[in-house]
Amino acid sequence: VTSQTLDRPDDRTGRRAVNRTSAVVRRDPARRRRRRRERLRILAFLSPWLLGTGLFFVYPLVTTAYLSFTRYDGFVSPTWNGLQNWRFVFREYPFFWPALRNTLWFVLVMVTLRIVAGLVLGMLVIHVKRGRSALRTVFYAPFLAPPVAATLAFVFLLNPATGPVNAILGHLGISAPSWFNDPSWSKPALTLLALWGVGDLMVIFMASLLDVPRELYEAASLDGAGAVNRFRHVTLPHLRPILVFAVVTGVIATMQYYTEPLVAGQVASGQIGGSGQQLEPGYPAGSTLTLPQLVFNLGFERFDIGAACVIAMVLFVLSMVFAGFLMRRGRGFLGGED
Amino acid sequence: MTRHLRRPLSGTALAAALALSLTACFGQAHGGANDNPNADVTITFWHGWSAPNEVHAIQANINAFEKLHPNIHVNAVGNITDQKINQALRAGGSNAPDVVSSFTTDNVGEFCSSHAFVDLTPFLDKDSIDPATTFPKPQLAYTQYQGDQCALPLLSDAYGLYYNKSAFQAAGISGPPKTLSEFDADAVRLTKESGDTYSQLGFMPDYHFYESTITHFAAQWSPTYFASDGTSNVAADPGIKAAMEWQKGLVDRLGGYSRLEKYRTGFGDEFSDSNAFMTGQVAMMIDGEWRAGMIDDSHSKVSYGVAPFPVPDAMASQYGKGYITGTIVGIASTSDKQNAAWEFVKYLTTDTSAVVSFANAIHNVPSTIAALKSPQVSQDPNFQEFIKIAANPKSTTTPSSPNGGAYQLTLQNLGYDYESGKQTNLDAGLQSAAHQIDTDIAQTQ
C-alpha cells in the first residue's frame, strides 16, 4: 500500500490496510498498551496548550455565549431568557447601531491609513542616507506613549478655543474645525492620533523592506521597470505576508478600540459624571462610541451582563469573519509559500 | 488524536466549563444577621474618599466609633471606585467589605433589587429609628428602591446658584434672581460679547457645561420621573417639558447653541482652578456646596455669593428648593458580621455629632434632619444657604432605578438633541424617551 493510496480514505485498498492494522492492535495487548502510552505522552506534551486554551479561550467563550442567553446582573445567578438580550441589543438598544457604524469606520479608515502611513514611513526611513537612526527614533517614540496620556495631549492640542493647532491654523487664515468637539471631525481627530503612533508598523515594514533581495530590483530595472513597477511587482509581493499580518492585527485591535475614544470623548465633553450627571456615550453626538464601550456600559453601568455578552459575541464573530476573509485573500501570514 | 479519545475530552471540557460557570463565577446573594453583636470583630469598610483632609475626617469618625464600641474594630479602605465595589459585592469572600459607601446614588436600585445590600429596615426597626423623621425626604428617596431601604445617606450635596458679585455690581444687578424670568434677564445683562464669542457669559445653559444638567435644572419644577406602577413619567410630567423649553429658550437668547458650545470648549476643568466661574468666564452657574470650599481654598479672586437656584415664575412661593444628592452607605449581604456592621452604619449616619463633624470637615451638607438643625454645623453664611436648600421640604432628587442612571442618560440625550436643534418636536422626543426608559427597565426585569 503506497502512501498515496493511504491518503485517500475512500480507497478500498487503503481502508482495508487500516482495518487490518486496527485488528492487529486489538489482538495484541502489548501493542495496545504501547499505543495508549504514546497517546498519553502526546496528551502530556499538549496539556499546557490544552489547559491554557481551555481556561483562557474556550471557557470564557462558552460562558460568554451562554450568558448572552440569560438575564444576569452579576449579583443573582443567571436565568435563561432565550433571545431577549439579542432582540434588545439589535432592536431596542439605541447605541448599538451607531457604535457598530463607528467601529466599522475605524476598521476601514484608520487601519488602512495606518498601514499606508507605516509603509510610507518605513520606505522613507530606509532610503534616507543620513540621520536614519534619529528619524527611526522620532517616528517610533510616539508609539511608546501611554494611550491615555497621548489622548489627553491631543485633546489639549486640538482644543478649538485654546489649542495651539487651531491658533496656528487661524493665523494662516484657515477655518479650523472643532476636532474632538465636532461629530464630523472627532473620528478624523482620533485617526490623526492613531497615525501619530504608527511607529510599530513602520518598524515591521522597515525590517521587511530591508529583506527584499537587491538582485530582484536590479533585474527589474534591467527589464525596464520604473519605480512604480518595481514597487508593484517586487516590493509588494514580498511584503504580502507582513501586510496581511498588519491588516489582521490592525482589524482585531481596532475592534477592541476603547481607551482613546473614551478618554477623548470624556475630556472634550468637560464632564466627569456623577449623580444627576450622566456621561454622554461617545461625545460628541455618539460619534466616538465604539462596541467595546457598550460592553462596559451594559455590563458594568447597567448591570446587564447578558446584553453585554451579546455585544462581546458580535465583536468575536466580526473579528473572526474579518480575520478569516483577510487570511484567505492574503493567503495567510506565509504568503504564497503555503 | 483519535476520534474516540477526542469525544470524552471535549465532553469533560464542556462539563468543566459549565461547572465552573455555575460555581466559581456567580457571587452569593444572601447573608445573615445572626452574628453576635458583642463579639470582638473587625469589619471592613470601603469608601471613596482619598484627599488627605477627607481620609483624616473619616478616620476621626472611625476612632470615635471604636471608642464607643471597643469590641468592633474598623478596617477602612479608601479611594475605592464603584467598579471595585460592584466586583467585591459580586464575589464576596473573606476580603470583601462588610460596609460599603459610594459617591453615586445611581446604583442603589440595583443594590436593593439584587439584595447585594441587605434591607436595613429590620435593623432600623430594632433600634426604633424612624427613617421618615430622621432623614430628609430626598435622601430617603435615593437610598431606597420600591420600599427596600438598602442604604442610608452619609452626608449630602445640595445644588444652588453661584453668582459673581463684582459682575452683578458692574451690571447694576442688586441681588440674586429668585424667578427664572429674572434669572434670564440677568443672564443676558451679564453677557458681554467679543467678536463672535464672549468676554463674559451671564450663564452657560448648555447641558455639557459642568453641572448644567437636565435633572439639576428640572428639580426646580419638582418632577416625578416614575409613575406609581414604575413606568416612566417623563412624557406626562409637565415640569420636565417646561425645564427643557426654558433651557432651550435661554440657549437661543444667549447667542445660540453653536456659539455657546464654541465658547464652552475653551473652559478649564470643572474641578480645577481653571473652572470657568472661578476665572470669570461665566458670571453665574449651578453647582453644589463643595464649590464654595474649593473657591476659598484656590487662588481665585472671584467675589462670589450663593443663593437657591431660581424657580419658575408660577412657583415663586417655592423659592429655596434645589436638587439633592449625596453619598450612600450600606451593608454587603455577603457580610457575616452584619450586626457589627449595622452598629457602624448607624453611628455614621444617625449620630448627630458624627454627621456634623464629618460634614464640617469635608464641606458637605449633613444628611439627617437633626444634624441640619444643629448649631454645631458650620455657620458660614454661604454654607448655610445650602443647609437651607437641603432642609427645604420641596427639594427633590433623581430616584433610584434598577439599571443605574440609564433613564437619566436617555433624558439627557434628548436634551442634547433638543438644545442643538436636532430634535424640534419636544413632545415626540419625550414620548420616545419614555418608551426607551420603559424598554430599558423591562430588559432588567
Side-chain angles (χ1 to χ4, degrees):
Chain A
V1 179
T2 63
S3 63
Q4 199 179 8
T5 54
L6 271 175
D7 283 342
R8 285 182 290 168
D10 56 344
D11 184 275
R12 292 177 65 85
T13 319
R15 195 182 296 166
R16 212 176 294 139
V18 170
N19 289 342
R20 203 183 307 127
T21 310
S22 303
V24 170
V25 170
R26 266 201 303 275
R27 277 200 299 273
D28 183 350
R31 190 177 281 192
R32 206 164 56 207
R33 275 199 300 276
R34 211 164 40 242
R35 180 67 65 89
R36 193 182 300 140
R37 270 203 304 274
E38 192 182 337
R39 282 175 188 152
L40 285 173
R41 198 164 50 242
I42 292 169
L43 199 61
F45 278 118
L46 281 175
S47 60
W49 177 83
L50 283 174
L51 202 67
T53 307
L55 273 178
F56 300 113
F57 180 71
V58 178
Y59 167 63
L61 185 63
V62 170
T63 308
T64 302
Y66 164 69
L67 289 176
S68 72
F69 296 101
T70 65
R71 163 71 199 132
Y72 182 41
D73 63 3
F75 295 105
V76 182
S77 297
T79 50
W80 186 263
N81 69 352
L83 291 171
Q84 171 56 33
N85 295 330
W86 293 81
R87 266 196 299 271
F88 173 74
V89 166
F90 285 102
R91 287 190 198 163
E92 293 160 343
Y93 185 46
F95 303 116
F96 175 72
W97 292 108
L100 181 64
R101 276 195 295 274
N102 291 337
T103 302
L104 293 178
W105 190 98
F106 285 122
V107 165
L108 293 175
V109 178
M110 189 189 281
V111 173
T112 308
L113 289 180
R114 261 179 60 82
I115 286 169
V116 170
L119 182 57
V120 168
L121 281 182
M123 291 175 73
L124 179 79
V125 168
I126 63 165
H127 284 105
V128 164
K129 297 273 187 254
R130 294 179 63 177
R132 184 187 290 184
S133 300
L135 268 182
R136 217 162 39 195
T137 308
V138 165
F139 288 131
Y140 186 72
F143 175 69
L144 301 175
V148 173
T151 311
L152 283 173
F154 260 66
V155 173
F156 289 121
L157 285 171
L158 298 177
N159 184 295
T162 56
V165 172
N166 278 21
I168 293 167
L169 291 175
H171 282 306
L172 296 172
I174 299 169
S175 174
S178 291
W179 302 109
F180 290 107
N181 295 89
D182 182 341
S184 310
W185 280 94
S186 53
K187 282 194 281 287
L190 282 167
T191 307
L192 275 181
L193 170 61
L195 290 175
W196 178 69
V198 79
D200 57 331
L201 288 180
M202 177 201 73
V203 168
I204 293 169
F205 282 125
M206 218 173 67
S208 187
L209 285 165
L210 288 170
D211 205 30
V212 182
R214 307 296 311 164
E215 310 85 68
L216 291 180
Y217 286 118
E218 286 164 11
S221 296
L222 288 173
D223 287 343
V228 174
N229 275 328
R230 282 202 302 274
F231 176 76
R232 190 178 158 194
H233 296 292
V234 178
T235 310
L236 267 187
H238 190 85
L239 286 183
R240 194 168 61 197
I242 299 298
L243 279 169
V244 174
F245 169 79
V247 174
V248 170
T249 53
V251 166
I252 292 171
T254 311
M255 286 282 180
Q256 298 166 7
Y257 198 41
Y258 178 80
T259 307
E260 289 89 343
L262 184 83
V263 173
Q266 290 195 1
V267 175
S269 78
Q271 294 186 308
I272 54 140
S275 299
Q277 189 201 52
Q278 303 297 312
L279 290 170
E280 181 188 354
Y283 174 88
S287 60
T288 58
L289 194 60
T290 56
L291 289 175
Q293 292 179 61
L294 299 188
V295 177
F296 184 81
N297 173 256
L298 284 168
F300 298 97
E301 293 177 331
R302 293 192 180 203
F303 307 98
D304 193 350
I305 292 173
C309 286
V310 172
I311 310 267
M313 290 305 295
V314 169
L315 274 171
F316 174 73
V317 170
L318 280 177
S319 298
M320 292 303 285
V321 167
F322 268 113
F325 173 76
L326 292 166
M327 294 286 278
R328 257 181 111 80
R329 295 286 296 177
R331 281 187 253 162
F333 294 144
L334 298 176
E337 288 169 24
D338 56 341
Chain B
M1 195 181 295
T2 56
R3 196 179 169 82
H4 63 270
L5 186 63
R6 199 184 300 149
R7 199 175 291 158
L9 263 179
S10 59
T12 310
L14 189 65
L18 285 173
L20 279 170
S21 69
L22 291 171
T23 55
C25 273
F26 309 142
Q28 304 154 26
H30 300 289
N34 302 319
D35 55 301
N36 179 3
N38 300 315
D40 194 68
V41 293
T42 299
I43 57 171
T44 303
F45 169 44
W46 279 16
H47 62 79
W49 289 287
S50 57
N53 70 313
E54 296 171 340
V55 174
H56 183 262
I58 192 69
Q59 192 56 49
N61 260 13
I62 291 169
N63 295 342
F65 170 77
E66 287 178 333
K67 260 188 190 169
L68 283 173
H69 300 268
N71 62 313
I72 305 174
H73 314 283
V74 179
N75 171 31
V77 184
N79 201 16
I80 296 288
T81 63
D82 284 303
Q83 278 72 37
K84 278 188 195 166
I85 290 172
N86 295 344
Q87 287 302 326
L89 292 175
R90 283 166 176 160
S94 57
N95 291 324
D98 300 288
V99 177
V100 178
S101 78
S102 166
F103 289 150
T104 180
T105 61
D106 289 341
N107 298 336
V108 169
E110 174 61 22
F111 291 158
C112 289
S113 60
S114 67
H115 305 295
F117 278 3
V118 297
D119 186 359
L120 298 174
T121 308
F123 294 102
L124 290 160
D125 290 345
K126 186 183 72 179
D127 285 325
S128 304
I129 298 170
D130 177 12
T133 56
T134 306
F135 304 104
K137 205 173 155 190
Q139 281 84 338
L140 270 185
Y142 67 63
T143 51
Q144 63 88 34
Y145 177 67
Q146 293 185 339
D148 184 345
Q149 189 74 48
C150 74
L152 288 176
L154 174 56
L155 303 191
S156 301
D157 298 315
Y159 283 70
L161 175 74
Y162 281 79
Y163 61 97
N164 186 323
K165 284 182 176 174
S166 307
F168 267 51
Q169 201 173 8
I173 302 168
S174 57
K178 293 185 175 177
T179 63
L180 287 174
S181 58
E182 291 172 11
F183 178 79
D184 290 0
D186 290 348
V188 173
R189 278 174 74 180
L190 289 161
T191 297
K192 295 177 186 171
E193 300 194 357
S194 171
D196 63 347
T197 182
Y198 310 89
S199 59
Q200 176 183 289
L201 187 66
F203 180 75
M204 174 54 83
D206 286 11
Y207 290 130
H208 282 112
F209 174 66
Y210 302 161
E211 305 292 332
S212 287
T213 68
I214 179 59
T215 47
H216 294 169
F217 290 153
Q220 303 311 103
W221 280 264
S222 302
T224 305
Y225 289 94
F226 293 100
S228 54
D229 61 357
T231 56
S232 175
N233 195 48
V234 298
D237 189 283
I240 293 170
K241 184 182 175 188
M244 286 192 160
E245 286 176 334
W246 164 75
Q247 185 266 0
K248 173 67 175 160
L250 190 55
V251 165
D252 293 341
R253 284 183 72 177
L254 291 173
Y257 176 74
S258 300
R259 200 170 165 198
L260 289 173
E261 271 296 277
K262 192 171 179 191
Y263 186 55
R264 182 189 67 81
T265 55
F267 294 166
D269 283 347
E270 180 180 355
F271 290 94
S272 74
D273 286 2
S274 305
N275 178 293
F277 178 77
M278 291 159 69
T279 57
Q281 287 166 290
V282 296
M284 297 188 286
M285 72 171 180
I286 187 170
D287 213 337
E289 77 286 342
W290 62 82
R291 177 64 52 199
M294 286 186 174
I295 297 173
D296 296 342
D297 294 342
S298 75
H299 301 297
S300 173
K301 300 274 190 290
V302 68
S303 166
Y304 71 95
V306 296
F309 199 78
V311 290
D313 292 26
M315 302 168 99
S317 62
Q318 294 183 17
Y319 177 70
K321 66 181 177 180
Y323 179 79
I324 308 292
T325 186
T327 302
I328 59 108
V329 63
I331 298 172
S333 60
T334 49
S335 168
D336 55 4
K337 302 160 197 163
Q338 291 181 9
N339 279 318
W342 165 246
E343 289 301 328
F344 183 55
V345 169
K346 184 174 71 174
Y347 175 78
L348 285 181
T349 59
T350 64
D351 185 286
T352 302
S353 68
V355 174
V356 169
S357 64
F358 193 31
N360 286 343
I362 68 168
H363 305 293
N364 272 190
V365 173
S367 45
T368 64
I369 293 168
L372 285 168
K373 292 176 183 166
S374 169
Q376 304 304 317
V377 171
S378 169
Q379 295 302 306
D380 176 273
N382 287 331
F383 193 71
Q384 278 297 317
E385 285 293 342
F386 291 103
I387 295 288
K388 287 179 204 160
I389 295 167
N392 191 305
K394 297 286 184 188
S395 289
T396 55
T397 187
T398 37
S400 56
S401 77
N403 55 354
Y407 78 92
Q408 297 172 46
L409 181 62
T410 301
L411 201 57
Q412 198 166 285
N413 277 346
L414 171 63
Y416 295 141
D417 288 349
Y418 189 59
E419 70 174 355
S420 64
K422 199 171 157 189
Q423 170 64 270
T424 51
N425 187 339
L426 185 55
D427 286 318
L430 285 166
Q431 289 287 352
S432 172
H435 175 73
Q436 186 63 50
I437 291 167
D438 289 339
T439 304
D440 289 344
I441 289 177
Q443 166 66 15
T444 66
Q445 306 295 320

